[in-house]
Amino acid sequence: MGQVLIAALAGGLIGLDRTALGQFMVSQPIVAGPLTGWLLGDVSAGLAIGGALELIWVLDMPVGTFVPADATVTAVSATAIAAITGRGAADVPLLGFSLLLTTIMVPVTMVADHLMRMRNAQIPELVLGGSGMPSEARVTGWHLAGLIAFFLKSFMLCLGMIPAGLAAMALFLSLPPATHRAMTLFIAFLPLLGAALVLRKQSMQVLDPYLLSGFFMAALCVHVLQIPVLAAVPLAAGAGWLGVRFGRG
Amino acid sequence: MQSLGFAFALIPVLRRLYPDRAEFASRLGSYMEYFNTQPYLASFVLGAVARREEDRATGRNIAEDPSVIKKTLMAPLGALGDSFFWGGLKPLAAAVSVAALLAGAWWAPLLFLALYNVVHVGLRAGLVFTGYSTGGDVAALLSRYNLTRMARLFKVLSLSVIGCIAGTVAFWEPPFRPALPIAGPAVPAVAIGVVLGMTALLRIGGTPLKLMLGLAVLCLALVLGGFWAP
């Protein structure tokens, strides 16, 4: 129970960074996951979960009336479920199933965000009060109360999702090995799904020339020239830059 | 939605400019109207409003209501900021960091924070002063910070890095490295095929949620059907 509480508190605090405080992107899955993993003694689980979720939700933006998924709560909860179940050394199937569980719970986070927006829309009227004039104290009070409300939203979501996930994880552990192997394959596909989601949002074309230039440059570097993968990343980005500089971009 | 935060941020300026309580409350009340823009570019609006309130309080310009600039600027700055920060900088930082993480770099989260915040914090702080010095002149903002061009460049770079992610799939570190029954150049070819196939599914109405659930079902079917055995 102590670890669930620690994770929920972390979720509440990290969740503030989404919209209410700072927006330094600590709330992005690639940071929120490892941070939660570090608090619970399994940084590797957090890194894997954050890395798998980052590209999937990075372009899920609040445009118009669309309420995006709460990727922070998802990353924190998935990491906590894997780290607590794996006792600090979660194996790959556990990571995959934690990701799947929290994905199923994503609509709950969207409903919570929607309710929060409805509540926020009423605040200016409350600040103005009966007199129709705001006071410094009321503006300050309601503004700071907003931070508490945002904290509680993420905290309560984590507090609900993590125990539910731990219960489901107990069932998963009793399932046949084939399901565990399926989760190993599932997690391997997630970065490719993330790549597809970024391509979908960033380009009008499926066969985007910049995507293909980065792909061929990287494949050439690592397969033919045997350059380390980390060095291939800036080279692929450089290929894109050359395309903009000298191409039709 | 952001009106309360905007009014809160202006309190020190208004308190200094309007010692009279009634006037202070009246000016504060004018900032309680609807306001919604890109949160970082709100810094520019804040600087502009502070300048115009100063002009009003000192009698340099009493004809114009300083709060009007807030309404005028919120839509164009919202579009500009969304495109630059949410559509350009954030996905680029994410793509580079995920590519590094897949290659085994444990420091990828720190790289993400550094890439994003070096640009974000610098701009956010600078925009308050630009807004103040120009009084909310968007043309001056655009000539000083070419955000549209940079957004386009960041999008292109993120697409190239996404291509790199697919091209290096055979060298990903666990737990992401798939145990495939193929080797060599066929691996990245399959990976880019999977990416393009999933993109096509997204174009015909797929959502991240549906695709993730569909992917889990597909993985289960592949394993139970004996098509994939690590």
Tab-separated table of all heavy atoms in Angstrom, chain B residues 88 95 151:
chain	number	residue	atom	x	y	z
B	88	GLY	N	6.151	21.039	-33.433
B	88	GLY	CA	7.523	21.008	-33.935
B	88	GLY	C	8.543	20.575	-32.900
B	88	GLY	O	9.154	19.512	-33.011
B	95	ALA	N	11.244	12.354	-30.496
B	95	ALA	CA	11.781	11.391	-31.472
B	95	ALA	C	13.269	11.144	-31.232
B	95	ALA	O	13.716	9.984	-31.214
B	95	ALA	CB	11.545	11.905	-32.894
B	151	ALA	N	9.372	25.792	-37.041
B	151	ALA	CA	8.403	24.700	-36.835
B	151	ALA	C	8.467	23.723	-38.004
B	151	ALA	O	8.454	22.498	-37.805
B	151	ALA	CB	6.991	25.268	-36.691
